[in-house]
């Protein structure tokens, strides 16, 4: 009867003439018992096993939509990522006009999922970088040799970048086999770190098959990588988080194959909930997302909400870096600092290749632009 | 230069005034090298590492849309499920107006992924059921005890159902812990099979965390289950297929958490491509999907296309059963047979609970209705 419950706010835009209450009740049943209402055992209602409508708030607008707060027993979602997603947005993902705009887990659930293991403070401590955003890049393009990719990374590290990640297309292709690529790149970065006395972290992409992915994590850890780039929707929503925790690697999440949730304002989940709140709860120390004004479709407000979701107080969980990316340039650094503030991992990828053939020169220009923007901001 | 290539047809609805060629080129670059066009190394163009536009076909309609055939080198997708999805619809999932309507892998790729291990013929042979659709149900509702669920299943098996699957909400909750549930249900079905001399197959839901999922597969196999119910988007797109192959279990796929691909006719993938073509290539012997006219939003044509994708000739791959479900009733059996033909796993879930409190009676009514419909059809 008094089992603890967690809350999900679904923004419902009814796609038929039935009242919103009927749509909300559909969700309560579909995401739990999934049987006709009159077949639900009486004890199930009493025990709260069916989802429960807690409130319905009309939002106005045309067509009319509503924010509906539905609660579920925590023991139905079972503190497991696959199970939680199944309850949040399983079969109802195949209906229309349902968008998740808020997810409020209980303190016990937050503790069980654990959140970022390292978090913003941990990453800053290890990098010894404070008072400014992190300068981050992606290793591109797919199809170069591991040696060429390593040369680029050595230059980026010498030029002062804080974080280097694989492009998400770099997996285990014969152009740059996983082990050779990770070993050569980490070597080049380690050598540069020894030379500069600074620290650059490397996050290789982990996207192997089920039978490869643990060995890949173990290998990245053994090579001295600080973290890994995890694509939850390619390798399984909990696979990367689980293994990174086991091998004590920081987690940078990648949004590849997540986009169908976002493009319709009336369906899916908001970027803040999926790439921010959920990925952070699951363990993202850094969440990469497509910045407004780049090649993708997120609005300024969606990006800011996502950044908030990574950093706002949330039970006792650590905060994580939002990492705006996708079509960013050195010229935009000042604007990005204004928009996101210091606790951000600014990610400039292709534009560094374009800036100069020498990665060290590009990296230095990025750093200089960043430091100038921070100084400018401090003066105002 | 002459590396083999596979083809993807993207239906593009341009969301800005640029010509469709510009949108198509965006896809070619975004899904491979992901850098500004003028930074792509010359050798990359020559070697065909960037996606290549093979044809653009205007479809008319308002707004104007186009079917764009793009080819990729097979060694970029690397015969791995995470990698293939990354190339098909990775970052471009975060853009607008792009729908995958066809995927044509090479014979070598089809062979590498393997397709259904058992397929329609294998399942029919084991069941000794020919000339009619399979009568299938789901075990509901979540929250009953394992003993009660087993009692239901024993009744369904005695009543003559061919296939029983877990409801996808039954995971490892304390109401019905995974091992106890699987053991009790398989026991009840085995006992019923011994009594009737017929065969009923059981497919338990496999949705554990990364560190649980292989043990769950092994357990299901050890208990004598014929197959497993696999939710690719909850446990990882290749996890369930990989493990089911390893433990020689038939695979029934579940569409939970896939729906954001389908609800917008101008974005995502068609149900036929994701739940049909791809899931079959990956290994689905049976693909469950929401039938038209039930609680979900698929059209008749989308359902028929999906059924075709499971059964049409495809390299040397076996065919798999389409399994229309979701709000189906005994009264609709005739119409479903007309629509889908014999090689179908008709799935009636909650309506069996509603039909009678005695599962054996419900199952018998389902079978009778099915046999009558088949006889009626034979006469016409």
């Amino acid at each position: 009867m008094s089992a603890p419950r967690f809350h999900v706010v679904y923004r419902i835009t009814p796609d038929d003439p039935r009242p919103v209450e009927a749509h909300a009740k559909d969700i309560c049943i579909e995401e739990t018992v999934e049987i006709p209402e009159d077949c639900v055992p009486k004890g199930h209602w009493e025990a709260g096993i069916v989802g429960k409508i807690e409130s319905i708030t009309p939002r106005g607008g045309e067509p009319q939509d509503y924010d509906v707060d539905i609660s579920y027993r925590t023991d139905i979602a079972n503190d497991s990522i696959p199970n939680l997603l199944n309850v949040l947005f399983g079969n109802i993902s195949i209906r229309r006009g349902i968008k998740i705009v808020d997810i409020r887990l209980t303190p016990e659930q937050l503790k069980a999922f654990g959140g970022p293991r390292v978090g913003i403070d941990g990453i800053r401590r290890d990098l010894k970088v404070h008072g400014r955003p992190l300068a981050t890049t992606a290793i591109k393009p797919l199809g170069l040799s591991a040696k060429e990719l390593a040369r680029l990374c050595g230059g980026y590290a010498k030029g002062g970048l804080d974080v280097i990640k694989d492009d998400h297309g770099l997996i285990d292709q014969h152009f740059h086999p996983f082990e050779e690529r990770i070993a050569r790149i980490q070597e080049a970065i380690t050598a540069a770190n020894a030379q500069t006395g600074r620290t650059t972290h490397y996050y290789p992409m982990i996207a192997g098959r089920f039978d490869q992915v643990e060995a890949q994590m173990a290998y990245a850890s053994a090579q001295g990588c600080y973290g890994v780039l995890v694509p939850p929707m390619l390798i399984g929503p909990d696979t990367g988080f689980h293994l990174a925790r086991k091998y004590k690697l920081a987690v940078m999440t990648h949004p590849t194959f997540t986009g169908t949730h976002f493009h319709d304002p009336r369906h899916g989940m908001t970027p803040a909930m999926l790439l921010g709140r959920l990925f952070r709860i699951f363990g993202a120390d850094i969440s990469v997302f497509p910045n407004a004004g780049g090649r993708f479709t997120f609005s300024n407000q969606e990006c800011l909400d996502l950044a908030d979701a990574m950093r706002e107080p949330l039970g006792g969980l650590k905060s994580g870096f939002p990492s705006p990316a996708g079509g960013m340039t050195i010229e935009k650094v000042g604007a990005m600092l204004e928009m996101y503030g210091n606790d951000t991992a600014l990610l400039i990828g292709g534009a560094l290749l374009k800036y100069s053939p020498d990665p060290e020169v590009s990296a230095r220009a990025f750093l200089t632009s960043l430091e100038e923007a921070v100084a400018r901001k401090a003066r105002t």
Side-chain angles (χ1 to χ4, degrees), chain A:
Chain A
M1 285 265 202
S2 60
R5 303 181 78 80
F6 68 99
H7 292 251
V8 185
V9 178
Y10 297 97
R11 186 158 293 165
I12 300 180
T13 312
D15 63 341
D16 65 38
R18 296 180 307 150
V20 63
E21 288 76 10
H23 289 266
K25 190 176 272 183
D26 282 354
I27 296 177
C28 294
I29 288 178
E30 192 70 52
E31 295 303 281
T32 57
V33 290
E34 211 193 330
I35 51 176
E37 192 179 343
D38 52 4
C39 293
V40 176
K42 188 159 165 287
H44 273 52
W45 293 110
E46 289 165 357
I49 286 175
V50 184
K52 190 176 159 205
I53 302 170
E54 300 284 353
S55 68
I56 298 181
T57 312
R59 297 184 71 241
E62 181 57 36
Q64 179 64 264
D65 54 4
Y66 306 83
D67 280 354
V68 178
D69 181 337
I70 291 178
S71 70
Y72 301 101
R73 277 175 65 141
T74 57
D75 56 3
I76 288 181
N78 206 22
D79 296 349
S80 111
I81 293 174
N83 210 340
L84 179 67
L85 294 174
N86 207 19
V87 175
L88 288 175
F89 206 61
N91 273 4
I92 57 165
S93 72
I94 317 174
R95 302 187 74 145
R96 289 217 179 87
I98 303 173
K99 184 121 196 152
I100 292 182
V101 297
D102 198 12
I103 300 164
R104 296 196 307 278
L105 302 190
T106 66
E108 292 70 27
Q109 285 178 304
L110 293 176
K111 202 173 160 194
F113 287 112
R117 192 183 55 81
V118 198
I120 290 179
D121 293 345
I123 290 174
R124 285 199 179 282
R125 253 196 316 275
D126 201 78
L127 288 171
K128 300 185 191 67
V129 169
H130 300 277
R132 65 161 174 81
L134 305 187
T136 305
T137 195
I139 311 170
K140 298 163 184 263
L142 173 151
L144 295 182
S145 68
K147 195 176 155 190
E148 289 171 284
L149 295 172
R151 184 192 65 80
L152 280 175
C153 293
Y156 290 142
K158 277 184 217 157
L161 297 192
D162 305 303
V163 174
I164 299 176
K165 68 179 258 300
D166 277 350
D167 210 13
H168 75 288
L170 306 180
I171 302 193
D172 190 26
Q173 295 98 342
H174 65 87
F175 315 115
H176 27 57
F178 180 83
E179 295 198 354
E180 186 194 350
R181 183 175 86 249
I182 276 57
R184 290 300 82 74
I185 289 174
Q186 185 60 56
E187 252 170 41
I189 292 173
T190 303
N193 286 345
Q195 203 177 319
T196 62
R198 292 184 66 271
T199 300
T200 301
H201 289 160
Y202 172 41
Y203 290 73
M205 176 77 170
I206 304 288
R209 297 191 315 262
F210 180 84
D211 58 331
Q212 301 173 316
V213 69
E214 178 152 11
Q216 291 182 344
M217 285 276 184
Y219 188 83
S221 174
Q223 294 301 306
C225 300
Y226 184 77
V228 282
L229 179 62
V230 164
M233 297 307 162
L234 293 185
I235 60 174
D238 85 327
T239 302
F241 297 113
H242 179 89
L243 286 172
R245 205 175 290 273
K246 179 169 176 183
Y247 290 95
K248 299 204 182 334
L249 291 153
V251 175
M252 178 188 284
T253 50
H254 195 282
T256 179
F257 203 49
T258 66
T260 55
H261 283 276
F262 314 131
H263 75 292
D264 182 340
R266 302 192 178 279
H267 196 73
M269 296 191 209
T270 60
M273 284 305 107
L274 184 54
L275 306 183
R277 179 83 48 86
L278 283 180
F279 281 9
R280 176 182 172 195
I281 289 171
F282 297 164
D285 298 291
I286 305 178
S287 177
V288 175
F289 65 94
N291 194 25
R295 305 189 301 275
F296 298 95
T297 55
F298 284 14
S299 69
N300 268 14
Q301 193 57 51
E302 285 174 316
C303 291
L304 289 170
D305 289 347
L306 196 170
D308 282 349
M310 288 300 291
R311 300 184 297 207
E312 70 199 353
L314 183 64
L317 298 195
K318 294 190 173 79
S319 55
F321 283 105
S323 183
M328 297 299 100
T329 61
I330 293 176
E331 292 70 36
K332 290 183 184 167
V333 162
M336 289 172 79
L337 175 68
E338 278 304 320
M339 180 167 169
Y340 292 106
N342 274 342
D343 279 339
T344 308
L346 294 182
L347 201 164
I348 302 181
L352 291 194
L353 286 179
K354 197 162 174 159
Y355 185 86
S356 161
D358 181 344
E360 193 174 338
V361 170
S362 298
R364 199 155 287 140
F366 182 3
L367 254 292
T368 303
S369 166
L370 187 54
E371 281 161 0
E372 285 173 1
V374 170
R376 218 162 37 238
K377 197 175 173 210
R379 283 197 301 272
T380 58

